[in-house]
Amino acid sequence: MTSRSVVAAAGCLKHAAVKASGCRNILTASRSVTVTSSHPYSAAPSPLVEPDGPQIKTAIPGPKSESLREELDAIQNTGAVQFFVDYDKSVGNYIADVDGNLMLDLYTQIASIPLGYNHPKIMEAIRDPANLSSFVNRPALGVFPPSDFVNNLSDSLISVAPPGMKQVQTMACGACSIEHAMKAAFIAYKHRERGEAPPTQEEMETCLKNQPPGNPDLSVLSFKNGFHGRTMGALALTNSKWIHKLDFPSPNWPIAPFPKLKYPLEEHAAENINEEKRCLEQVEDIMEASKKKGSPVVCIAVEPIQCEGGDNYASPAFFQGLQDICQKNKISLLIDEVQTGAGATGKFWAHEHFHLRDPPDLVTFAKKMMTGGFYYREHMRPKEAYRIFNTWVGDPSKVVLLKTAIKVIKEDNLLKKVKETGDYLVGGLLEAQDRFPALLSRSRGMGTICAVDFPDADTREKALLRLREKGIHVGVCGASTLRIRSTLTLKKKHVDVFLDGFNDVLKNM
């Protein structure tokens, strides 16, 4: 393990030292909802104004949602559908369903909305005639990029690139970003192994038959409870729930333990240091075993926070140790920032909290970034065309929207506000945990990526449904974790709505 000192929560994991203060007003369903009469996509819509609080008119899902689900079920599986949304009436941090219910949304389309629903600056970007072509046409970017694409990339993705990274490749979604980032890791490894010589004739011929040496037996190491997507290659790294992987063939790639920290962190510092040391030692042992088996690890893929797997954290020292292992073995470190990027932790990239010696080799993104893709260091850049490629490799219209979102993030100083709001939110969760210790444990967060554990999944589900009855929409992850995934525009007044409802639910459980 690295000799660097352990910074077990510096700037990252918030715990009992963070306490909320001030009185919270109890919001009632009788408050009126202020929504403009103009359609949000009209030529000159009035500014959309958030309501004071939730408004609940029916059960959720309501009769209109149930009717629509029956119609949809005739043509596809609707088992995951929770309710149907009226996106025209959704505004800011509030989501409206088709039955007229208005909920505070702390799940935000599975953590994918940066600024909130129908943000006026995003609407302006869509209406801007200069952007019209980007929305009307979807080019094959790898071969026919539009004339403004370089400028748009520079003003968006390059302007917020992780420190030390200057290369970027757009993609359509998070899973395909992981797929192609892994390909980049394999390509770079074999290029170096060949001594930068071109592939042999035998390699070119055998790869067309799915045979070595053209298709070598290489592997990517992932972590227990990790989640990296649902496409076939990404599923080899996804190890959180059986529903994701059952019935699909998957390469037998190595899976290492991810640290399970004990809370409160300050009371278990020594135990957590030993836990992270054990996991790092296991990584090295597993890599050695995989190499002896004839399937060397060429890349380690890890999330800064294991989001789908239960909001699991590790200290900066753990990630520093992973980078040490990668550099010692001359393999790639892939940090998957699909759910943690774009400012949700109070820094634009969660791994910035870890004070790594060098930039990661690969950083994937999607969700709040509004486009998928990955950053990579120069030595990961493919030498041949068409190696990292598909028809669209992204969507220029999403880059336009991202450029606008980044401008708002900077102008409104949202990263600072995310940290302040996150501190307030975690403080409120800790107060609730102190008040209801039989129901809550392990309150934790980084920025507004926050979570708390219930004793079991059934108790958590009851709390989630009762919160929804009060007009508060949250998500779940892991075995028994309730998670919060807000927009970057979340304010303390929104946190108050959640905490008042949350404490009321807990009091009556």
Side-chain angles (χ1 to χ4, degrees):
M1 183 177 178
T2 175
S3 61
R4 299 185 193 122
S5 61
V6 175
V7 190
C12 300
L13 310 182
K14 307 184 190 80
H15 42 269
V18 185
K19 289 291 182 179
S21 61
C23 298
R24 303 188 182 102
N25 296 321
I26 297 176
L27 299 173
T28 66
S30 62
R31 284 184 174 166
S32 61
V33 179
T34 305
V35 181
T36 60
S37 58
S38 298
H39 189 286
Y41 297 99
S42 64
S46 303
L48 294 174
V49 180
E50 276 195 347
D52 291 331
Q55 185 178 50
I56 300 302
K57 297 180 178 179
T58 72
I60 302 171
K64 290 183 180 178
S65 272
E66 294 287 21
S67 177
L68 286 169
R69 182 156 57 184
E70 286 183 17
E71 292 181 34
L72 182 60
D73 196 64
I75 56 176
Q76 64 178 236
N77 185 301
T78 58
V81 173
Q82 297 183 23
F83 53 84
F84 281 75
V85 179
D86 187 335
Y87 286 103
D88 290 342
K89 294 180 181 176
S90 299
V91 53
N93 289 279
Y94 284 84
I95 186 171
D97 74 0
V98 293
D99 289 280
N101 299 302
L102 198 64
M103 293 165 274
L104 175 65
D105 192 359
L106 299 178
Y107 194 39
T108 59
Q109 308 298 314
I110 319 179
S112 66
I113 299 181
L115 303 179
Y117 296 101
N118 293 311
H119 192 280
K121 293 294 184 181
I122 298 294
M123 307 299 265
E124 285 180 15
I126 293 173
R127 296 194 306 270
D128 186 345
N131 296 330
L132 185 60
S133 176
S134 294
F135 290 96
V136 171
N137 304 293
R138 187 171 184 184
L141 283 173
V143 285
F144 307 114
S147 59
D148 59 358
F149 194 54
V150 176
N151 285 337
N152 285 339
L153 284 179
S154 297
D155 292 342
S156 59
L157 289 166
I158 297 302
S159 74
V160 293
M165 304 189 82
K166 300 176 182 178
Q167 302 281 308
V168 70
Q169 175 63 62
T170 54
M171 285 289 163
C173 68
C176 63
S177 302
I178 287 288
E179 295 277 355
H180 288 276
M182 285 195 294
K183 287 169 62 177
F186 291 133
I187 292 168
Y189 180 87
K190 290 300 295 183
H191 184 71
R192 185 177 66 252
E193 195 176 60
R194 294 188 190 101
E196 302 191 9
T200 66
Q201 187 65 32
E202 183 185 18
E203 287 174 319
M204 290 187 286
E205 291 174 357
T206 54
C207 77
L208 300 179
K209 304 174 184 177
N210 300 327
Q211 297 174 359
N215 292 141
D217 190 356
L218 304 174
S219 61
V220 176
L221 182 142
S222 59
F223 290 89
K224 183 180 179 181
N225 293 319
F227 181 92
H228 299 277
R230 291 178 170 87
T231 51
M232 294 298 289
L235 278 175
L237 313 181
T238 292
N239 312 300
S240 51
K241 294 179 182 177
W242 67 265
I243 196 70
H244 301 145
K245 301 187 69 164
L246 182 69
D247 297 330
F248 309 135
S250 185
N252 187 20
W253 288 352
I255 303 167
F258 191 84
K260 184 156 181 74
L261 302 184
K262 292 185 177 181
Y263 290 79
L265 295 173
E266 70 277 9
E267 295 179 12
H268 300 91
E271 294 167 273
N272 289 337
I273 289 172
N274 289 333
E275 168 69 358
E276 293 189 341
K277 180 180 178 182
R278 178 188 72 85
C279 290
L280 288 171
E281 290 172 349
Q282 281 284 293
V283 167
E284 294 200 271
D285 290 345
I286 291 169
M287 286 176 57
E288 183 61 28
S290 189
K291 183 177 180 180
K292 288 180 179 178
K293 195 174 66 174
S295 182
V297 171
V298 305
C299 179
I300 293 177
V302 66
E303 301 159 271
I305 305 168
Q306 286 192 322
C307 292
E308 297 295 327
D311 270 29
N312 305 313
Y313 290 81
S315 79
F318 177 75
F319 293 95
Q320 293 166 8
L322 285 182
Q323 185 170 67
D324 289 344
I325 291 170
C326 288
Q327 292 182 343
K328 181 175 72 173
N329 290 276
K330 297 181 179 179
I331 63 174
S332 302
L333 175 62
L334 188 165
I335 295 188
D336 182 354
E337 293 253 23
V338 165
Q339 193 160 150
T340 55
T345 66
K347 291 184 181 290
F348 208 91
W349 302 103
H351 75 266
E352 292 183 73
H353 291 282
F354 302 152
H355 311 294
L356 299 176
R357 179 199 305 113
D358 299 305
D361 299 289
L362 299 149
V363 175
T364 52
F365 57 84
K367 290 193 182 283
K368 279 185 173 64
M369 292 294 285
M370 308 179 87
T371 177
F374 62 96
Y375 295 97
Y376 56 96
R377 295 180 67 185
E378 284 78 0
H379 66 276
M380 306 297 296
R381 180 172 176 148
K383 302 298 186 289
E384 305 93 353
Y386 295 100
R387 295 285 265 156
I388 304 296
F389 188 84
N390 57 44
T391 298
W392 285 326
V393 287
D395 181 345
S397 69
K398 299 301 184 287
V399 176
V400 168
L401 297 180
L402 174 62
K403 182 171 69 170
T404 302
I406 289 170
K407 186 177 181 182
V408 173
I409 290 170
K410 292 178 178 179
E411 289 180 348
D412 293 355
N413 202 14
L414 291 185
L415 297 187
K416 180 175 182 289
K417 293 177 181 178
V418 162
K419 184 183 184 306
E420 293 170 351
T421 306
D423 287 346
Y424 187 65
L425 175 54
V426 174
L429 289 174
L430 285 161
E431 285 187 347
Q433 180 177 304
D434 290 343
R435 199 173 296 122
F436 305 100
L439 290 173
L440 303 180
S441 63
R442 303 180 75 241
S443 294
R444 55 204 184 273
M446 185 187 289
T448 52
I449 293 183
C450 298
V452 64
D453 287 359
F454 281 82
D456 51 64
D458 288 343
T459 306
R460 175 191 64 185
E461 191 67 16
K462 289 177 184 176
L464 180 143
L465 293 176
R466 291 181 185 180
L467 278 169
R468 188 178 294 172
E469 290 172 0
K470 292 181 175 294
I472 300 168
H473 182 47
V474 296
V476 301
C477 60
S480 59
T481 300
L482 184 147
R483 63 171 163 172
I484 293 172
R485 296 294 186 269
S486 70
T487 70
L488 304 179
T489 60
L490 190 78
K491 298 178 180 179
K492 290 182 179 180
K493 66 178 182 179
H494 302 116
V495 176
D496 286 339
V497 172
F498 163 70
L499 290 174
D500 286 329
F502 191 47
N503 280 282
D504 192 49
V505 165
L506 295 171
K507 182 174 63 178
N508 291 286
M509 287 186 71

